[in-house]
Amino acid sequence: MTTRELDAAGITEPVLRDAYTRCRRLNARHGRTYFLATRLLPVERRPAVHALYGFARWADDIVDSLDAGIPPQRRAADLARLHERLQRGLRDGSSAEPVVLALADTARRYAIDHDHFGDFMASMRSDLEVTDYPTYDDLYAYMHGSAAVIGLQMLPVLGSVVPREEAAPHAAALGVAFQLTNFLRDVGEDLDRGRVYLPADLLSAHGVDRELLLWSRRTGRRDPRITDAFRAFADLTRGVYREAAPGIAMLEPVSRPCIRTAFVLYGGILDAVAADGYAVLHRRAVVPRRRRAVVAADGLARLTAARARARMTGRPAAGVTPRTVAPAVRPAQSVAPGRLVEKHPMSRTVTAQPLHKEVT
């Protein structure tokens, strides 16, 4: 399947094909839900998604490795080295690092704003120093770089039937919704790394703090205050999904089955967490394999229908080709879009929130 994808995308240089293949392997190994949804994209667009995921995973692994033998200074140096290679690759279009080479090629083919990658690296650097977030607004500021820009990077690859600046806020919100879902599912693993991504103001509203979370994680015992706090965080996350939902219809028809599948599967993680009594400090909630298969089959049926409609109307199923995509919208344009007006339970007022961890 890799050869077919690369041939369809017009990627012919052996070194570049190898770079994209490495990114695809990272996606298949580490991002099962994301990889499954990617299979529903037109074949020529998949390598770009693999490149975007591969780079994000590469940086995330530097930050999140549980190897106690790697000191913080070494991680910071590795991340700085990756950032330097990224900047050079985006500037020159070449790199000795395969993952950076594939990313730089994708950014060029789809005219993806380079600022999105800089914002992402800024959030990765903050993970080396910041271990908790006092308020939901503080968490949103972090997620602009760690999640919202992932949605904005993807948008040129997916294509849209509306002006990109109209779809951008919803794409950013979907990145945030996916990351909030991961934060809840992985709260125990993140706690082992010394981090708490659930904002302190939400936790404290239910009588929860880091010490109580650590006690529960260490002893395996439950506390109703923790359950209430996790339930509130899940409710908050579902609100972000509602903000993101209108954006699916704004995408090109052949891209919608992929994103709808990811939307449903990630939402299913919240359902699995709830069904397991919010016991995420003690075990990881997973979407049952049968449910994943049903959702994937629905996505495939929708993709087949979209392709059939494209043939009937005489329009190419894959929409515009990568090299003719319009220039990417810069953050200043997409965040007035790029900033959703979001009311969340921990705010006293309605505020404009800045939008922006592994996708599995």
Side-chain angles (χ1 to χ4, degrees):
M1 182 63 74
T2 301
T3 298
R4 178 171 169 245
E5 292 173 354
L6 296 173
D7 289 345
I11 301 168
T12 59
E13 299 174 18
V15 173
L16 195 55
R17 289 170 72 91
D18 178 67
Y20 274 102
T21 299
R22 293 196 186 195
C23 291
R24 187 181 189 276
R25 289 172 185 160
L26 282 170
N27 196 347
R29 184 165 64 248
H30 296 290
R32 290 174 298 173
T33 298
Y34 201 71
F35 184 74
L36 176 64
T38 301
R39 297 294 297 274
L40 298 175
L41 279 176
V43 64
E44 71 276 7
R45 303 192 194 188
R46 296 176 197 168
V49 178
H50 297 323
L52 294 172
Y53 179 92
F55 180 81
R57 181 72 209 192
W58 190 271
D60 200 52
D61 279 350
I62 292 175
V63 171
D64 279 349
S65 172
L66 286 173
D67 187 345
I70 302 178
Q73 298 85 347
R74 168 70 180 280
R75 298 185 197 215
D78 289 346
L79 200 61
R81 189 177 304 111
L82 178 60
H83 192 196
E84 181 182 350
R85 291 176 177 175
L86 169 66
Q87 290 177 311
R88 188 183 308 121
L90 291 173
R91 182 181 65 248
D92 301 338
S94 63
S95 178
E97 174 53 61
V99 174
V100 174
L101 177 62
L103 180 76
D105 184 69
T106 290
R108 178 184 61 82
R109 288 170 180 262
Y110 287 92
I112 300 174
D113 191 333
H114 293 181
D115 286 351
H116 295 330
F117 304 112
D119 290 346
F120 172 77
M121 293 302 294
S123 284
M124 293 300 97
R125 286 193 298 273
S126 77
D127 264 333
L128 296 175
E129 301 175 356
V130 180
T131 60
D132 53 42
Y133 295 86
T135 70
Y136 192 48
D137 291 350
D138 295 321
L139 182 63
Y140 252 114
Y142 163 80
M143 288 192 297
H144 167 73
S146 64
V149 298
I150 303 299
L152 297 175
Q153 291 169 21
M154 282 285 294
L155 188 54
V157 179
L158 299 172
S160 63
V161 295
V162 300
R164 193 178 300 172
E165 61 269 18
E166 184 177 342
H170 303 287
L174 189 57
V176 169
F178 288 170
Q179 185 166 63
L180 289 171
T181 301
N182 285 343
F183 286 162
L184 182 59
R185 181 197 62 191
D186 301 338
V187 63
E189 296 171 23
D190 288 330
L191 194 62
D192 292 341
R193 298 184 179 102
R195 302 196 201 108
V196 178
Y197 287 102
L198 279 61
D201 59 354
L202 183 149
L203 294 174
S204 64
H206 297 275
V208 178
D209 56 18
R210 180 187 287 259
E211 286 68 31
L212 184 61
L213 296 176
L214 286 168
W215 169 84
S216 181
R217 177 74 168 169
R218 183 178 65 254
T219 65
R221 297 174 63 181
R222 305 286 298 277
D223 188 293
R225 294 171 294 178
I226 295 176
T227 301
D228 289 344
F230 288 176
R231 183 182 293 111
F233 190 80
D235 290 344
L236 183 155
T237 302
R238 292 187 190 280
V240 182
Y241 276 103
R242 288 192 291 272
E243 294 283 359
I248 297 177
M250 298 178 183
L251 300 175
E252 288 184 7
V254 291
S255 294
R256 293 171 194 166
C258 166
I259 302 306
R260 182 178 286 107
T261 296
F263 184 98
V264 173
L265 287 176
Y266 266 90
I269 294 174
L270 293 180
D271 294 336
V273 168
D276 196 33
Y278 297 92
V280 284
L281 277 174
H282 313 297
R283 52 185 174 266
R284 185 183 245 226
V286 296
V287 178
R289 185 171 300 178
R290 181 175 180 180
R291 173 61 175 161
R292 290 163 56 90
V294 168
V295 174
D298 177 71
L300 182 60
R302 291 175 183 272
L303 177 59
T304 301
R307 288 174 173 170
R309 286 193 295 271
R311 286 194 296 268
M312 291 177 61
T313 59
R315 297 175 181 174
V320 296
T321 59
R323 297 183 186 278
T324 60
V325 175
V329 178
R330 297 188 63 80
Q333 294 171 292
S334 66
V335 179
R339 294 173 72 90
L340 286 181
V341 176
E342 170 78 14
K343 180 185 291 184
H344 57 75
M346 304 312 299
S347 287
R348 296 181 180 179
T349 60
V350 179
T351 56
Q353 301 296 344
L355 290 176
H356 178 281
K357 171 176 182 273
E358 171 239 351
V359 181
T360 59

